[in-house]
Amino acid sequence: MRNLWLFGLLLAAPLTATAQEPASDLTIKGVQAPAPARMLGQIPVYDKFDALAPQLNLHNDTTYVINFWATWCKPCVQEMPYFEQLHQAYRNQKVKVLLVSLDFARQLESKLVPFVAERNIQSQVIALTDNNYNTWIDQVSSQWSGAIPITIVRKGPHKHLILQELGDYEELETIVKTFVNL
Amino acid sequence: MKKNFLFALPMLAALALWAAAALPANTGLKVGDKAPDFQLKNVDGQMVSLASMKNVKGYIVIFTCNTCPYAVMYEDRIIDLHNKFAPEGYPVVAIQPNDPEVQPGDAFDKMQVRAKEKNFPFVYLFDEGQKVYPQYGASRTPEVYLLDKNLTLRYTGAIDDNAQDASAVTKRYVEDAIAALEAGKNPEPAQVKAVGCTIKVKKKTAH
């Protein structure tokens, strides 16, 4: 019953940016996701958004927390511990953190790899080096201007956008909890 | 059931409040809207408004800053844009929208230093109090608002299609948009998104 309440209220509140979105064309159903262009240790590198998109659009009962960031983005780096804390706290639940780095292709080895190693980042880090931003920013969300950081919390058809850096961990967890309980 | 409902409500209230705070990016100018003029301090200490600029056919307003790596990658190209188009009546009007308390590298004196180092040929204005960028709806640096002489927004978004490598650019959106205006046409595309840095807004008091 609570689920119904939440569902109805979410649909009735367009201002919250939490709304049912039509299933993306990119949604895959039991199809193997395209392989990354290459691997940098544990970090898959995608040079085309379309190859990464299926992983961002999985429709199942897992809550996905997708953060677009870069090592050169100061507020992104500042909020990174909140995602790591979330990853730890929810490791036994259906919550998956995806940290999509937009670091420049030529700086993956010199900046991204050392950053992930030095901070011992445990969440899944993915590098996306598709420079053709205008072709894919709207596929993430039409409400996104392209400024980072941005975080998308989603589960099935439900989606919430966080269009600025988080103030603290509790802000993130409050949103995620709502989705986990959906 | 009642208990569940009581549990759900504060969550949703929090969500709604929070998203409302996160959404002002959508409330800015649309292509075709008239842009507001402003009075902002240039790095030379003079106050500048769009109306104060004479013999212009339009304005290449660019929200940019010292500290965003994307903005820095575009500095030379912004200089080139001004040098190429100011003589044709389209000067660059650069506006720094970040709050220096949040981003000290964008303080007014640091803007002056950067303008001198790079010998900016265009005005580099400080959006003191962060009053102008919300009226335009700017949400990142760098971000272009190309206005015609009536201050109508004709193109907004990216400068070109390759931030990281000027030599690999295939689409020069701002140059193409100016060419369209000169030909009496509407720029196409009129809006192009790109990755950039969020505008740094004064933090609310911690509690």
Side-chain angles (χ1 to χ4, degrees), chain B residues 67-78:
Chain B
T67 52
C68 173
Y70 269 89
V72 172
M73 285 189 287
Y74 271 111
E75 276 179 336
D76 290 338
R77 279 175 269 180
I78 294 171

Side-chain angles (χ1 to χ4, degrees), chain B residues 127-157:
Chain B
D127 186 4
E128 192 163 12
Q130 302 193 297
K131 294 189 172 69
V132 172
Y133 91 78
Q135 297 176 42
Y136 278 69
S139 63
R140 64 174 188 273
T141 55
E143 188 170 16
V144 174
Y145 288 78
L146 177 66
L147 314 178
D148 65 19
K149 65 173 181 296
N150 301 318
L151 305 190
T152 302
L153 178 63
R154 304 298 295 273
Y155 168 82
T156 182

Side-chain angles (χ1 to χ4, degrees), chain A residues 1 5-6 9 15-16 72 104 106 131 133-134 137-138 142-148 160 163 171 175 178 181, chain B residues 1 5 7 11-12 15-16 18-19 22-23 69-70 73 103 139-140 164 192-198 200:
Chain A
M1 192 61 202
W5 262 108
L6 269 170
L9 283 167
L15 244 185
T16 66
W72 51 258
F104 310 131
R106 61 169 187 273
N131 279 341
Y133 301 124
N134 192 50
I137 285 174
D138 277 339
S142 59
Q143 291 178 48
W144 182 29
S145 74
I148 57 172
H160 180 81
L163 292 163
E171 280 188 20
I175 302 286
T178 310
N181 291 331
Chain B
M1 149 86 196
F5 170 65
F7 165 78
M11 288 289 197
L12 282 157
L15 261 184
W18 195 30
L23 274 179
Y70 269 89
M73 285 189 287
Q103 186 59 274
S139 63
R140 64 174 188 273
Q164 293 157 55
V192 175
K193 290 186 176 182
V195 166
C197 304
T198 47
K200 306 299 182 287

Side-chain angles (χ1 to χ4, degrees), chain A residues 1-173:
Chain A
M1 192 61 202
R2 186 181 78 221
N3 286 352
L4 276 177
W5 262 108
L6 269 170
F7 185 73
L9 283 167
L10 287 173
L11 286 180
L15 244 185
T16 66
T18 304
Q20 189 168 24
E21 297 211 343
S24 164
D25 292 342
L26 298 161
T27 304
I28 53 167
K29 290 186 176 68
V31 179
Q32 191 66 38
R38 62 191 170 108
M39 294 293 293
L40 259 180
Q42 298 294 309
I43 304 173
V45 181
Y46 289 87
D47 55 6
K48 291 280 175 284
F49 177 80
D50 287 354
L52 171 63
Q55 287 185 60
L56 309 182
N57 288 297
L58 290 169
H59 279 241
N60 52 41
D61 59 356
T62 296
T63 299
Y64 292 90
V65 180
I66 304 163
N67 171 247
F68 288 87
W69 68 291
T71 58
W72 51 258
C73 166
K74 201 169 118 189
C76 305
V77 170
Q78 283 170 346
E79 68 177 9
M80 186 64 59
Y82 310 144
F83 296 106
E84 284 290 276
Q85 190 177 344
L86 186 81
H87 171 77
Q88 285 298 333
Y90 285 80
R91 59 186 313 131
N92 296 322
Q93 298 189 49
K94 289 182 175 174
V95 173
K96 173 98 174 145
V97 177
L98 296 172
L99 304 175
V100 182
S101 158
L102 301 180
D103 274 272
F104 310 131
R106 61 169 187 273
Q107 293 184 344
L108 295 183
E109 282 90 348
S110 62
K111 295 273 168 64
L112 180 62
V113 170
F115 181 94
V116 171
E118 281 161 21
R119 294 181 181 239
N120 194 20
I121 304 280
Q122 296 298 308
S123 308
Q124 168 80 64
V125 176
I126 298 168
L128 174 62
T129 60
D130 189 342
N131 279 341
N132 230 332
Y133 301 124
N134 192 50
T135 62
W136 60 263
I137 285 174
D138 277 339
Q139 293 186 56
V140 175
S141 169
S142 59
Q143 291 178 48
W144 182 29
S145 74
I148 57 172
I150 180 182
T151 302
I152 298 121
V153 182
R154 55 169 299 273
K155 178 179 175 183
H158 306 287
K159 192 167 169 180
H160 180 81
L161 299 182
I162 305 165
L163 292 163
Q164 58 193 13
E165 58 263 40
L166 297 156
D168 53 32
Y169 173 71
E170 283 66 35
E171 280 188 20
L172 177 63
E173 197 187 21

